[in-house]
Each structure stands twice: as C-alpha cells, then as structure tokens.
C-alpha cells in the first residue's frame, strides 16, 4: 500500500470518526483513535507514523550541543568563498490574515487555543460539506495587491492543489494556480545604515489566496493532528529572485511585515506563524546569466535567522563550487538549525511536484469591479515607504526615519505629537530616546504608556519656551509616562517653574560663592573646572529651577570679577 493511499485511509477514518462525535466531543487524538481500530487493516499507518516520530526524537537526542557562531566569523567565511560568485535569492511568504473567521467557514481562529476546539465539518473536510467564501479574504488580498503595486486580476478563481499529508484532511488545499488575484508588483525599502544603507526595489511575481493546513503536535505520547489552523485564510507573496544578500532578504521580509501591519490585514508575528518565509537560494559565477541549482530553506522564525541561514547557504554552495563539487548541490529542501547555525537536508526534490491542479468546483469565480477596487484604493493608509519619504522630506535623518516609520503605532504617536505643535527634531529625540528606553524597560508598547502625544508636545513647548528646564522636563516625563496627568498640572503642583530672573539667580550665586571661599580661591588660581562645582551648588539651592544658560552666564561673570 502506498503512503499516499495510507493518508487517504487515515483521512477516511478521521472523517467517519468525526461524524460520530457531537460538536462538544470533537476534541480528539487522531493517532490514538487509529491505534484503537484493532481490526482495521490501515492500523499500519499509526505504526509507520509512530516509528517516524520515534526516529525523529532519537535524532534530536543525538544532536550535538548548540554552538553559537559569531556573526562576524560567519561574515568572513561568506566573503572568503563568495568573491567569485553571485547569490540569487527569492522568497515565498505566507501571511495569515486577521479575519474573524476562517476562509471558507464560520469557525474562528485564536492562536494558542486548545487543539481541535475550533473546527467544523467544512474545515475538517467531511463529505458533503461545502465551502463559503469569506469576503474579507478578497478585500485583504486586494489591499495587499495595491500596496505592493501589483496588477489586479478582475476575474480570478480558486483551484484545488492536491497532495496528501496528515494535517490536510480533505486531501487537497484550496489555492490559486494559473490566475492569481495580483501579479507583477514591487516593493520599495531602505536598508539600515549599519548594513550599508541605500534604497532597494524588489519585484513581486504574484500574490494569491489560499487556505492554511492544520499542524502536527508531537509529544512524548505520540503525535496529534490539530485542525484549528486548517482553513485559516492566507496570502502567499512570491518575490522575484532579485535579492543578492542575506541582509537584503531579511529587510525584504521585515518590510512585508510592516506593510501587512500598516494595512491591518495581519499581525505579522513570526513567532506565531502569522508570517512565514521560505527562502530559495542559488549561486552562479559572476557574469553568468543562467541560474544555479536552487535550494529551499525552511524553519526560519526571525529576520536574523533569514539573514544567517542565507549567508551560511551561500558559503556552503560557494565552497562546494570552489572544491569542484558543484554537482553535489542538488534541488532540495533544507532546514535551518538555529543552535548549530547551519542548514541540514530535510528532503530531496526529484522533480517538480504534480499537484494535479483543477478549478475548485464548489466556489464561484472571484469577480472584482473597478469601483470596488477604487474604493479600497482610497481607503489605504499611508504605507511605510510613503511615510519614510515624508519624514525624510521634513528634514529627519535616515536613522530617525527608519526608527519612527518601523512601527505604525510609533509613527502615529509621532505625527500626533507634531500636530500638537511640537518641534520636529525635539519630538523625534524624546520618542527615540527616553520614551523608547522606558518602553523597553517596562516592556510596554507606545499605546500602553500614560503620556499622550498632546502632553508630550506641551512638555517640549514648556522646555523650549523656558518655563521649565530640561532636567525638570525629564523628571516630569517619567511621572507622566507612569501615571499620566498634565504638564501644567505637575508644574503648578510641584512648583517647578524655571527661575529666569537674573537678580534672583545672582543672589543665589553670591550666597554659594560666599559659602565656598576656598573653592573660589582655587578657581581664581587656575582650577577653572570648579565652575561646575559652583553651578551644581546653585542648582541645588534653586531645587533645579534656575535657568541653566542664565545661571552659567552670571556665574562666570561673578567668578571672574576682580575682588
């Protein structure tokens, strides 16, 4: 019996068992159930899967201890082997959409919920269950297609992509094959200065809609199929092979995350699987037009992992070429091992998979009107690239621009602060400095702090206008961040108004000088650094309220005056 046939039998058993269960009882362990079917011939499936898992567990136990490879060492290795080669990199990105229900049924999806608690006959693939398209999936696909500068297909359709796997109960995935909803786009991004800087444009081949599969949960007691994720709407974005380094690929993925978050179509959290990247890497001698043998890398759960995995794979392939073993590079899927900092073979690809695509007979064509597309286009927010260019034109440095535009909520907070009349550079400095440090220490997002953009603007205006000093401003800032309130209220409550009267400041300076004759003598004897001592004493006497500029001017005059 073939493996494919075994998977068909497993799906059949699962379907029959599910039909016997009530909705409340539909929480089950697939393999435990199969193992109970003593008289069924297909019990061999359980044995083969169990054996496979045991083998995997044994391999994991035999893995060498995790060793972190310094990034600079990996970079030197890459540079050594890649001088004569050019890397060709493309990325397939799956974005899980933040719809209230799944793609073709009314089941909700909540990450981290108990296995098989959000399933129904449709997402379980039971006989006779018919899919009903979630219109939000179409709306989100159009939004992303427009944001990625794609050409939209006003007439597209869904197709069945057929393959067998335990977490795919229907035996096929509803996807799009030959007529995707969006094609031929591009994405603009700015490389951070620490990685060399510069503006890049990468092509987008296509964006298509599909449903997610379930997932296998492995534990010491065996394996369990969790179908909560089955049927969750996805958008797959396929890039052109335009990237040449790990940094470019990681920044491309990070920009996609920013775009989907700005659009509000996905949370883009890689750790939750809401944004998943499969990277294709090949190398060729510099000047050669023909592509080399492509290798796919999976298990990339962070942008830094994408960067390191690609750098390792480029180095591995270049080293094989330099040793005359280029034919050892085969088309395969490799996994990135974070601990060992290397890619390892997952499975070989003998040729192109035959998914036997054909049009989905249970869903109608997707027909868009130009009016519908135009209405969505008008509703698009200011996207990351547009925001960066606006901030750059306002006069901010690229470092400031990249920080502020990276998080949509931070950008909105910054814009709201400017709307209150705050100085551009001072607002950027406060947000990027003290406020960012406070959020990091307290593990808060900018939406969770108590300080409003309006009060930050008021604080900046109070310092710039001389109402309070910068030192007092910082003290007020941390209280406002933690407890809220108003700047004017705190200034009045704590009597923090800056002293700007030269006569009053002069009297305080005279008092400090008269109380420290020894230091005065030393200052006038050449130890001019003691000016800081006198300034500190005056500040202490004024409880930090003396205008620093005025204080230092008057102090210098009095210290240098002839006795």
């Amino acid at each position: 019996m073939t493996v494919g046939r075994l998977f068909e039998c497993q799906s059949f058993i699962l379907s029959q068992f599910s039909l016997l269960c009530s909705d409340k009882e539909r929480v089950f362990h697939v393999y435990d159930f199969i193992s109970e079917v003593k008289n069924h011939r297909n019990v061999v499936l359980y044995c083969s899967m169990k054996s496979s898992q045991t083998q995997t567990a044994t391999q994991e136990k035999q893995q060498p201890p995790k060793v972190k490879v310094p990034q600079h060492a990996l970079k030197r290795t890459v540079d050594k082997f890649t001088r004569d080669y050019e890397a060709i990199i493309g990325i397939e990105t799956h974005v899980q959409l933040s719809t209230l229900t799944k793609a073709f049924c009314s089941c909700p999806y909540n990450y981290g919920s108990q296995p098989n608690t959000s399933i129904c006959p449709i997402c379980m693939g039971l006989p006779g269950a018919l899919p009903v398209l979630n219109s939000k999936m179409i709306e989100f696909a159009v939004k992303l297609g427009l944001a990625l500068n794609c050409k939209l297909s006003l007439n597209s359709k869904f197709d069945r992509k057929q393959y067998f796997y335990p977490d795919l109960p229907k035996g096929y995935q509803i996807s799009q094959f030959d007529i995707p909803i969006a094609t031929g786009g591009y994405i603009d991004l700015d490389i951070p200065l620490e990685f060399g800087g510069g503006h890049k444009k990468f092509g987008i081949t296509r964006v298509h809609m599909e449903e997610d599969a379930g997932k296998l949960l492995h534990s010491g007691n065996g394996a369990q199929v969790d179908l909560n994720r089955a049927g969750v709407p996805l958008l797959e974005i396929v890039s052109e092979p335009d990237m040449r380094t790990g940094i470019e690929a990681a920044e491309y993925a990070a920009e996609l995350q920013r775009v989907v978050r700005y659009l509000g179509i996905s949370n883009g959290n890689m750790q939750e699987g809401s944004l998943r990247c499969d990277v294709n890497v090949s190398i060729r001698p510099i000047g050669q037009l023909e592509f080399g043998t492509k290798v796919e890398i999976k298990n990339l759960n962070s942008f830094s992992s994408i960067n390191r995995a690609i750098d390792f794979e480029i180095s591995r392939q270049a080293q094989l070429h330099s040793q005359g073993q280029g034919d050892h590079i085969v088309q395969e899927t490799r996994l990135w091992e974070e601990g060992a900092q290397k890619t390892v073979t997952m499975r070989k690809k003998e040729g192109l998979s035959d998914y036997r695509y054909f049009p989905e007979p249970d869903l109608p064509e997707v027909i868009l009107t130009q009016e519908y597309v135009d209405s969505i286009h008008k509703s698009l927010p200011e996207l990351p690239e547009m925001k960066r260019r606006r901030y750059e034109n306002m006069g901010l440095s690229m470092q400031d621009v990249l920080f502020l535009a990276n998080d949509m909520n931070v950008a909105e907070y910054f814009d709201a602060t400017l709307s209150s009349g705050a100085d551009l550079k001072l607002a950027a400095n406060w947000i990027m400095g003290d406020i960012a440090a406070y959020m990091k220490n307290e593990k808060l997002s900018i939406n969770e702090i108590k300080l409003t953009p309006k009060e930050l603007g008021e604080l900046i205006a109070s310092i710039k206008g001389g109402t309070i000093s910068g030192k007092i401003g910082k003290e007020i800032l941390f209280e406002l961040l933690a407890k809220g309130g108003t700047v004017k209220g705190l200034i009045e409550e704590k009597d923090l108004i800056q002293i700007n009267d030269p006569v009053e400041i002069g009297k305080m300076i005279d008092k400090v000088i008269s109380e420290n004759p020894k230091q005065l003598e030393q200052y006038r004897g050449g130890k001019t650094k003691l000016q800081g001592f006198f300034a500190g004493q005056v500040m202490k006497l004024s409880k930090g309220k003396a205008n620093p500029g005025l204080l230092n001017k008057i102090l210098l005059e009095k210290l240098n005056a002839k006795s």
Side-chain angles (χ1 to χ4, degrees):
M1 184 179 288
T2 65
V3 173
R5 178 59 183 155
L6 288 173
F7 285 159
E8 286 182 327
C9 294
Q10 181 247 1
S11 297
F12 172 77
I13 295 170
L14 172 58
S15 300
Q16 296 306 307
F17 175 68
S18 303
L19 285 170
L20 297 174
C21 296
S22 67
D23 288 340
K24 293 181 180 178
E25 294 172 330
R26 201 170 285 131
V27 179
F28 51 85
H29 293 260
V30 173
Y31 295 107
D32 291 345
F33 164 66
I34 297 175
S35 66
E36 294 294 325
V37 189
K38 302 294 185 182
N39 298 323
H40 203 290
R41 296 169 62 185
N42 295 328
V43 70
V44 66
L45 173 63
Y46 173 77
C47 300
S48 66
M49 293 298 292
K50 189 81 172 179
S51 172
S52 173
Q53 189 197 342
T54 305
Q55 183 179 357
T56 304
T58 305
Q59 289 172 348
E60 288 176 355
K61 289 178 182 177
Q62 294 173 349
Q63 283 181 358
K66 293 183 177 182
V67 179
K68 285 286 184 183
V69 180
Q71 186 65 22
H72 62 82
L74 184 59
K75 183 72 168 63
R76 285 200 301 270
T77 306
V78 172
D79 291 343
K80 176 183 176 183
F81 290 114
T82 58
R83 292 186 195 122
D84 301 325
Y85 297 95
E86 176 186 43
I88 308 296
I89 303 162
I91 301 182
E92 297 169 9
T93 307
H94 289 88
V95 174
Q96 197 175 90
L97 301 181
S98 299
T99 54
L100 295 177
T101 58
K102 294 184 181 181
F104 305 111
C105 67
S106 59
C107 293
Y109 175 69
N110 297 305
Y111 175 78
S113 57
Q114 288 297 309
N116 298 306
T117 54
S118 184
I119 56 178
C120 72
I122 295 173
C123 50
M124 290 174 66
L126 299 187
L130 295 175
V132 177
L133 178 60
N134 185 341
S135 62
K136 276 291 179 183
M137 187 181 186
I138 304 292
E139 179 188 331
F140 288 0
V142 172
K143 279 187 175 182
L144 185 59
L146 291 171
L148 296 179
N149 307 289
C150 292
K151 178 184 177 182
L152 294 177
S153 300
L154 296 182
N155 287 62
S156 64
K157 62 183 175 64
F158 285 99
D159 301 279
R160 288 188 180 182
K161 178 182 179 181
Q162 302 186 75
Y163 64 95
F164 295 105
Y165 203 72
D167 61 10
L168 193 69
K170 295 194 295 283
Y172 62 86
Q173 177 190 35
I174 299 178
S175 181
Q176 289 191 298
F177 177 46
D178 53 334
I179 311 178
I181 195 163
T183 55
Y186 63 88
I187 189 169
D188 288 291
L189 56 94
D190 294 284
I191 303 294
L193 297 177
E194 60 265 33
F195 300 128
H199 187 81
K200 297 286 183 179
K201 177 183 285 189
F202 299 123
I204 302 294
T205 306
R206 58 185 280 157
V207 177
H208 66 260
M209 301 176 286
E210 62 186 24
E211 61 177 339
D212 211 341
K215 57 184 176 182
L216 296 179
L217 304 177
H218 298 280
S219 67
N221 298 323
Q224 177 186 6
V225 176
D226 177 14
L227 296 180
N228 281 346
R229 199 176 68 180
V232 169
L234 296 178
L235 293 179
E236 181 173 347
I237 305 117
V238 181
S239 81
E240 291 289 326
D242 290 346
M243 288 149 267
R244 296 294 177 263
T245 66
I247 286 294
E248 288 184 358
E251 289 302 318
Y252 163 86
E255 183 70 6
L256 275 184
Q257 183 189 65
R258 280 188 285 271
V259 169
V260 299
R261 285 178 172 176
Y262 268 64
L263 291 172
I265 65 174
S266 174
N267 62 28
N269 294 337
M270 293 190 78
Q271 67 274 18
E272 296 178 4
S274 298
L275 188 142
R276 309 193 289 270
C277 295
D278 297 334
V279 175
N280 295 299
V281 182
S282 67
I283 66 169
R284 63 186 177 187
I286 291 175
Q288 177 179 302
L289 296 179
E290 184 182 353
F291 288 168
T293 302
K294 178 178 67 176
V295 170
E296 183 182 39
I297 309 174
K298 290 182 176 289
N299 197 35
L300 302 169
N301 56 13
S302 70
F303 301 128
S304 59
S305 292
I306 292 173
N307 180 18
R308 294 195 302 272
I310 289 173
D311 281 351
F312 175 88
E313 187 59 26
I314 292 171
S315 177
R316 184 187 73 86
Q317 293 186 26
Q319 188 172 9
L320 287 171
H321 274 290
S322 67
Q323 294 169 351
Q325 299 178 355
D327 57 337
H328 287 199
I329 301 171
V330 295
Q331 190 169 339
E332 62 177 334
T333 300
R334 297 177 71 87
L335 289 180
W336 171 246
E337 288 192 349
E338 186 65 36
Q341 295 286 289
K342 66 178 184 179
T343 62
V344 295
T345 297
M346 177 185 175
R347 60 175 177 264
K348 305 286 185 184
K349 292 189 175 180
E350 299 298 334
L352 293 175
S353 300
D354 181 11
Y355 292 115
R356 296 174 294 152
Y357 283 100
F358 68 84
E360 169 56 64
D362 294 332
L363 288 170
E365 289 185 344
V366 178
I367 300 175
L368 308 176
T369 65
Q370 192 59 50
E371 291 78 15
Y372 176 77
V373 173
D374 291 342
S375 67
I376 291 179
H377 194 277
K378 290 176 184 176
S379 73
L380 293 181
E382 183 181 42
L383 295 168
E385 170 63 12
M386 299 160 62
K387 200 172 288 289
R388 288 193 297 267
R389 299 288 75 83
R390 177 165 65 85
Y391 287 167
E392 191 176 26
N393 292 335
M394 290 165 70
L396 290 174
S397 69
M398 184 51 65
Q399 184 176 0
D400 294 356
V401 166
L402 292 177
F403 181 95
L404 294 167
N406 181 58
D407 185 316
M408 179 179 65
N409 294 322
V410 171
E412 287 178 353
Y413 190 96
F414 175 66
D415 287 338
T417 304
L418 294 184
S419 297
S420 70
D423 178 84
L424 173 74
K425 187 59 181 172
L426 289 176
N429 288 346
W430 280 88
I431 292 172
M432 294 170 59
D434 294 300
I435 294 176
Y438 175 82
M439 292 191 300
K440 183 177 180 181
N441 292 336
E442 300 297 323
K443 295 181 174 57
L444 297 173
S445 71
I446 201 159
N447 291 339
E448 296 171 315
I449 62 175
K450 305 291 186 183
L451 175 65
T452 66
K454 180 182 177 183
E455 289 306 316
L456 176 58
E458 183 67 33
L459 181 63
I460 292 170
S462 297
I463 297 170
K464 193 174 180 182
T467 305
I468 57 173
S469 65
K471 181 182 177 183
I472 297 250
K474 283 200 173 189
E475 293 174 8
I476 290 178
L477 173 73
F478 291 114
E479 187 161 346
L480 290 169
L481 285 168
K483 300 178 182 178
T486 65
V487 174
K488 287 182 179 178
L490 279 176
I491 291 173
E492 292 174 3
E493 178 188 334
K494 301 191 175 186
D495 189 24
L496 299 174
I497 296 176
Q498 186 166 258
I499 301 171
N500 293 309
D501 183 359
V503 176
E504 189 176 349
I505 292 175
K507 287 178 181 178
M508 286 188 279
I509 292 172
D510 290 339
K511 186 174 187 299
V512 169
I513 288 176
S514 65
E515 291 174 353
N516 297 278
K518 183 178 178 182
Q519 285 81 359
L520 178 62
E521 185 179 347
Q522 289 174 337
Y523 174 86
R524 289 177 173 169
K527 290 188 177 181
T528 54
K529 288 184 178 179
L530 282 169
Q531 180 185 346
F533 164 78
F534 287 105
Q537 293 301 307
V538 176
M539 271 296 185
K540 186 177 179 181
L541 184 62
S542 71
K543 297 180 181 178
K545 295 190 290 182
N547 183 311
L550 194 55
L551 184 156
N552 282 312
K553 180 175 178 291
I554 299 171
L555 176 62
L556 204 58
E557 291 172 355
K558 289 184 177 289
L559 288 176
N560 294 330
K562 294 180 181 179
S563 54

